[in-house]
Amino acid sequence: ERCIVDDLKIPATEFERLSGKGTAKKWRQSVRALDADFKFGDSVSKLLKSIGEVLGTKCVKREIEVFWPGDECFYYGTVEGFRPESGEHEVVYDDGNKEILQVAMQTVRWGAAPIVRKGSSAPRSQNAKSPPKPKPKTSWIQCDSCQKWRIVPQTYMDTLSDDAQWKCAMNPDSEKSQAGCDLKEDVE
């Protein structure tokens, strides 16, 4: 779901963060949605619960990708449970972390529904090909010797000071550091 504010569409989680309500526990009970006649309707909490009930247990055991705006990427996981009292779902990410969330408040992409093979009660998930992991963030850096531009992981860039000298031989990729300045300039 997306929120519309002055003709600007933003993800619901971003609206929550920007409004400063992300840390307030009870904001969903106090904020009311407008109905079609522009009259105050149900609380956001009640609307989210009803949307969660539509998904309910139908999406349990389904693969899901949840977008994390702060990391600017999707994380892969599986919906492992449903809480009917709140409309929330439990997601277990591929790295083992768990999160209880309102799916309607997230930007998500759905994976395949679990498939049960004939004569088996086990889902096909162990045989299914998992989606590729998100690419790590990268950044560009210029060699102070040859002036060629190189692509390096953002995590590596974060360790360098702004005024540090950098040479191709310092590349964290061992093959690229061994080739040094002899390697062609990186392209996207």
Side-chain angles (χ1 to χ4, degrees):
E1 297 290 321
R2 297 201 178 269
C3 297
I4 301 173
V5 180
D6 295 330
D7 295 327
L8 173 68
K9 291 183 181 182
I10 59 173
T13 50
E14 189 67 0
F15 174 79
E16 181 180 42
R17 186 187 68 78
L18 292 171
S19 67
K21 301 295 185 183
T23 55
K25 295 281 185 197
K26 295 188 177 186
W27 79 269
R28 292 180 184 157
Q29 283 83 19
S30 60
V31 175
R32 302 217 171 269
L34 295 177
D35 62 19
D37 298 324
F38 296 101
K39 294 187 174 128
F40 286 112
D42 290 330
S43 68
V44 170
S45 178
K46 191 171 183 179
L47 288 172
L48 290 172
K49 180 182 178 206
S50 65
I51 293 169
E53 287 171 344
V54 170
L55 292 172
T57 57
K58 291 185 281 189
C59 65
V60 173
K61 299 298 179 197
R62 254 188 102 180
E63 295 172 356
I64 189 171
E65 298 174 42
V66 180
F67 185 74
W68 285 41
D71 295 347
E72 296 180 354
C73 68
F74 283 87
Y75 287 97
Y76 302 101
T78 305
V79 178
E80 292 294 335
F82 171 64
R83 296 181 175 189
E85 67 279 0
S86 64
E88 295 173 309
H89 288 84
E90 178 182 357
V91 174
V92 177
Y93 293 99
D94 288 357
D95 65 1
N97 286 324
K98 294 180 183 179
E99 183 178 30
I100 306 297
L101 51 83
Q102 293 278 356
V103 173
M105 292 283 292
Q106 309 299 318
T107 300
V108 300
R109 296 188 298 211
W110 291 100
I115 297 172
V116 177
R117 286 181 259 147
K118 189 173 183 177
S120 169
S121 61
R124 167 182 94 103
S125 61
Q126 57 268 27
N127 297 328
K129 186 177 179 183
S130 60
K133 298 287 182 195
K135 285 186 172 182
K137 289 183 187 178
T138 58
S139 189
W140 289 90
I141 190 166
Q142 188 177 31
C143 176
D144 291 314
S145 294
C146 69
Q147 305 302 306
K148 292 177 183 171
W149 286 93
R150 305 293 183 202
I151 298 172
V152 295
Q154 182 62 48
T155 53
Y156 174 74
M157 284 292 289
D158 293 341
T159 65
L160 302 174
S161 65
D162 290 339
D163 57 350
Q165 291 281 316
W166 191 84
K167 296 179 176 31
C168 293
M170 298 167 64
N171 197 315
D173 182 324
S174 60
E175 288 180 22
K176 289 182 177 181
S177 67
Q178 287 175 358
C181 294
D182 295 333
L183 201 61
K184 288 184 180 180
E185 188 168 58
D186 288 350
V187 292
E188 287 189 68

